[in-house]
């Protein structure tokens, strides 16, 4: 985004780029549901929205025009997007590492890497042009084309305590989780306001 006084704002069934000086939208795009998470990647905007029916839609839009590049409907939940060489990597609700094509939005791979009973917390992160799946117990290098995970014994027990979060290259997680916190606070406020009206 340029240095002008502009923001991306989500509303019910739409997302828009606003100029706060002119108080006008530069563009507005209809989406299904309410956008709760908006992040930027290069010259694009990733919009994650949900409906009251519990469906999730992920839109990649051109940041300048608002034109839709693609929409992905099968992800099934919020994601922490990791951008690397134009593609999007994330861990899905089933605990698999996924890769979305940045051009088409097509799921290129979905790699399951732990058993259902494994309570280990793994962190997906990008560093020095490589993608890692890290934990205190064991860690992996992710093949960016194949989705193959190669264990890295040298990174076993490299931290004293279990990992809780990670920030590498290719993701603005502070903006992402600020958005999640804001969305949760809005839901809580709406619920509290409804309770007060019922009183």
């Amino acid at each position: 985004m340029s240095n002008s006084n502009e923001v991306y704002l989500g509303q019910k069934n739409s997302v828009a780029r606003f100029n706060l000086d002119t108080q006008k939208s530069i563009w507005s795009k209809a989406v299904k549901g309410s956008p709760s998470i908006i992040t930027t990647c290069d010259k694009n905007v990733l919009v994650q929205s949900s409906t009251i029916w519990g469906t999730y839609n992920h839109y990649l839009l051109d940041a300048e025009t608002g034109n839709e590049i693609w929409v992905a409907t099968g992800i099934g939940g919020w994601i922490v997007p990791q951008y690397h060489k134009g593609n999007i990597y994330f861990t899905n609700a089933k605990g698999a590492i996924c890769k979305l094509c940045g051009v088409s939005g097509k799921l290129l791979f979905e790699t399951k890497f732990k058993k259902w009973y494994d309570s280990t917390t793994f962190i997906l992160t990008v560093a020095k042009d490589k993608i890692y799946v890290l934990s205190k117990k064991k860690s992996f290098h992710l093949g960016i084309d194949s989705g193959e995970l190669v264990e890295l014994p040298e990174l076993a027990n490299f931290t004293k305590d279990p990992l809780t979060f990670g920030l590498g290259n290719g993701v603005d997680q502070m903006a992402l989780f600020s958005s999640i916190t804001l969305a949760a606070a809005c839901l809580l406020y709406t619920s509290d306001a409804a309770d007060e009206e019922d009183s």
Side-chain angles (χ1 to χ4, degrees):
M1 189 178 292
S2 66
N3 291 329
S4 58
N5 199 12
E6 296 175 2
V7 294
Y8 298 105
L9 298 174
Q11 297 177 300
K12 185 177 179 182
N13 299 318
S14 71
V15 63
R17 180 174 174 174
F18 274 91
N19 183 309
L20 297 179
D21 290 330
T22 63
Q23 299 179 19
K24 293 182 180 177
S25 64
I26 297 162
W27 56 256
S28 181
K29 171 70 179 170
V31 298
K32 289 184 180 176
S34 298
S36 294
I37 303 171
I38 303 171
T39 52
T40 58
C41 172
D42 194 21
K43 296 179 181 179
N44 299 321
V45 178
L46 180 66
V47 178
Q48 300 185 53
S49 69
S50 64
T51 68
I52 59 171
W53 309 111
T55 59
Y56 297 86
N57 296 289
H58 296 73
Y59 297 85
L60 191 69
L61 308 178
D62 181 291
E64 285 297 315
T65 65
N67 291 338
E68 182 180 298
I69 298 168
W70 50 255
V71 59
T73 58
I75 294 174
W78 306 128
I79 64 170
V80 178
Q82 308 274 339
Y83 302 105
H84 181 63
K85 294 189 174 179
N87 296 308
I88 300 173
Y89 297 82
F90 61 94
T91 305
N92 69 11
K94 297 183 252 181
I97 302 297
C98 302
K99 177 183 179 180
L100 280 183
C101 175
V103 175
S104 68
K106 179 182 175 185
L107 185 65
L108 299 176
F109 62 69
E110 183 176 8
T111 303
K112 190 78 173 166
F113 68 97
K114 71 176 189 173
K115 306 292 185 189
W116 63 270
Y117 52 81
D118 186 352
S119 62
T120 305
T121 300
F122 287 91
I123 305 298
L124 175 68
T125 192
V126 180
K128 199 178 178 182
D129 209 31
K130 292 183 180 178
I131 300 178
Y132 294 95
V133 181
L134 303 172
S135 79
K136 178 186 184 302
K137 192 188 302 184
K138 59 184 177 180
S139 298
F140 303 90
H141 173 251
L142 178 72
I144 61 173
D145 295 320
S146 66
E148 178 185 4
L149 288 165
V150 177
E151 189 168 352
L152 301 170
E154 65 273 21
L155 291 181
N157 297 307
F158 77 103
T159 64
K160 179 181 173 187
D161 296 308
L163 303 177
T164 59
F165 196 73
L167 177 63
N169 303 327
V171 64
D172 184 350
Q173 291 184 355
M174 295 307 290
L176 175 69
F177 283 96
S178 295
S179 298
I180 291 174
T181 302
L182 178 60
C186 287
L187 288 174
L188 182 61
Y189 173 78
T190 304
S191 175
D192 289 346
D195 290 344
E196 286 178 14
E197 287 181 10
D198 292 339
S199 300

